[in-house]
Every structure is written in structure tokens, then in C-alpha cells.
Amino acid sequence: MDDLYMDPRALNKAARNARDAVGDAAGVKVSPGLDSVGSAMPGASAISSAASAGTTVDELAKKLRTGLEKYADALDYTRDACIATDEQVNAAFTELVQSVLDGAVEFGKGALDGIVG
């Protein structure tokens, strides 16, 4: 049987790195610089293209931030869900073992009644 192993610290680190990247992506603002192409190159044909490219890059950076935030949230959710499931399985298994042990003790008491007098 294959084992499934989840390392909460690794998920914490991945989520933290994703959130750090959100901060980095928040600093991406290309359009202000490209909007000034017109003053640097009056009459150039690239003026509207540069402004459009700047806006596109800024929009992509915003989408990247949103995606990274969702990714970090998903990592946190996965970590919490795995921990909760592990705790529930552990509690159920402990209860099962205790029930079997209690049943064995009761069975043992009854089994000795006819032998020990």
C-alpha cells in the first residue's frame, strides 16, 4: 500500500513563499513608465503600443497576485484538512482499539467462570 505523507511545515513554507511573491507582484507597475514614452519620443509610432503594453503587463501582474493568493489559501486549507482528517482517524482508531480491548477483558472474565471455581 502506498503511503501518503503531508508535511505541514512544507505547506506553511510554500504558502509563505506564495504570499511573499504576491507582495513582489504588487510592486509591478509598468504602465507609468511606458506612459511617458510619448514625452520621450514625440511623434513616435510606438506611443500607443507602449501604453497598451504597460496596461497589459499591469493587468497580468494583478492576475498573478490573485492566483498566488488563491494558491496560498489552498495550501493552508489542504494543510488544515489533512491535519483534521489525521486527528479524526487517530481518534476513531484509538476508540476502536479501546473497544476491542474492553471486549477482550469482558470475554476473558466470562471464559474463566467455568474454569475457575
Side-chain angles (χ1 to χ4, degrees), residues 24-104:
D24 294 340
V28 175
K29 299 281 190 275
V30 177
S31 57
L34 291 178
D35 286 345
S36 63
V37 168
S39 61
M41 300 171 41
S45 61
I47 294 172
S48 64
S49 297
S52 175
T55 300
T56 299
V57 170
D58 291 351
E59 289 171 358
L60 289 172
K62 184 177 180 180
K63 288 179 182 179
L64 176 62
R65 289 191 305 268
T66 300
L68 288 168
E69 288 168 349
K70 289 180 179 181
Y71 176 66
D73 290 345
L75 290 170
D76 289 339
Y77 174 81
T78 299
R79 179 204 59 229
D80 294 345
C82 286
I83 289 170
T85 299
D86 188 51
E87 289 171 351
Q88 290 170 354
V89 168
N90 185 42
F93 186 72
T94 300
E95 184 179 317
L96 174 66
V97 168
Q98 188 60 52
S99 175
V100 169
L101 291 175
D102 290 346

Side-chain angles (χ1 to χ4, degrees), residues 1-8 11 78-79 81-83 85-86 89:
M1 183 168 105
D2 292 333
D3 291 334
L4 174 62
Y5 177 75
M6 185 275 302
D7 182 357
L11 289 178
T78 299
R79 179 204 59 229
C82 286
I83 289 170
T85 299
D86 188 51
V89 168

